[in-house]
Amino acid sequence: MRVRLRVVLLLGLGCAPGEPPVRPEDVRGPRLTQGLPRPSFVAERDDGSPYDFRAETGGRLTFLFFGYTNCPDVCPLQLANVAAALHSLPPETAAKVRVVFVTTDPDRDTPEVLRKWLAHFDTTFVGLRLSPVALEVAQRNLGMPPAMHEGEMPGGGYGMSHGAHLWAFTPDDSAHVVYPMGMKQEDIAADIPKLARIWRAP
């Protein structure tokens, strides 16, 4: 599978009033040059109900990933890493985090398929489906290339190329850090307590 990733760097991070400053070098994930607002879209949840992403996750540390359940490598690895990171933290810390997976393959990823697949990682992970048009808009709004079919696979079915970004939206409803393919689970775990703060520009 071909993965396209945009490399980004951070110019500066702040912190919530009353908390010690968070230096950019203390966050292990690649940092954005400018914060991206938490996206606003309404999708179908893996239980069939509507899910307003911004309303449901606003003000809370949320990891957002676009992928598909038939992905042979990137998707299961990214979700396994974030799940392991959360499971390594105190329960009260992990409970404050949301993980949302948006399928780039809604034709095959039915609500039932999403629910069963995500349960292998963590039963609290939320699976969402968007229409093709809404999916493309959501990806482009984050500066991601739209996912595309890659043709037939040797064993049947088809593959997809898609961005491998794991977006971290902090309580200020912006993303300041993004995790590319290959980030270690211990790095994500180390960042979570910091990302749970409200970032403010210096």
Side-chain angles (χ1 to χ4, degrees):
M1 182 181 68
R2 183 174 69 258
V3 174
R4 294 164 289 180
L5 179 65
R6 180 164 57 97
V7 177
V8 287
L9 299 173
L10 175 75
L11 295 179
L13 287 176
C15 62
E19 293 181 332
V22 178
R23 298 175 302 173
E25 58 268 29
D26 289 338
V27 181
R28 301 182 185 181
R31 297 164 297 274
L32 299 168
T33 55
Q34 181 176 344
L36 291 177
R38 188 182 299 258
S40 178
F41 58 81
V42 178
E44 179 188 31
R45 192 170 179 171
D46 50 17
D47 62 4
S49 64
Y51 189 92
D52 185 322
F53 178 77
R54 189 174 180 88
E56 294 281 353
T57 67
R60 183 187 296 271
L61 172 57
T62 305
F63 290 101
L64 175 64
F65 186 78
F66 292 82
Y68 66 114
T69 65
N70 283 285
C71 178
D73 40 36
V74 174
C75 302
L77 180 58
Q78 285 281 51
L79 290 186
N81 280 341
V82 72
L86 288 170
H87 297 163
S88 72
L89 296 171
E92 61 272 19
T93 300
K96 298 176 181 178
V97 183
R98 292 289 179 268
V99 178
V100 177
F101 177 86
V102 179
T103 179
T104 58
D105 186 17
D107 289 339
R108 291 184 294 183
D109 289 342
T110 64
E112 182 180 8
V113 168
L114 279 174
R115 187 166 56 253
K116 289 182 177 180
W117 188 74
L118 290 172
H120 292 300
F121 305 102
D122 192 296
T123 56
T124 67
F125 287 6
V126 176
L128 300 179
R129 299 170 76 246
L130 286 165
S131 70
V133 172
L135 176 61
E136 180 173 343
V137 170
Q139 292 172 101
R140 289 193 184 279
N141 284 344
L142 290 172
M144 299 174 64
M148 298 178 63
H149 284 215
E150 283 200 314
E152 298 298 319
M153 300 288 286
Y158 55 86
M160 301 194 75
S161 64
H162 63 91
H165 312 65
L166 177 64
W167 300 95
F169 290 94
T170 47
D172 64 342
D173 290 331
S174 296
H176 302 281
V177 179
V178 61
Y179 296 88
M181 172 67 176
M183 287 294 298
K184 297 178 180 179
Q185 62 191 50
E186 54 264 34
D187 292 332
I188 299 173
D191 281 355
I192 285 176
K194 302 180 183 73
L195 295 173
R197 300 180 183 180
I198 296 178
W199 298 109
R200 297 189 188 279

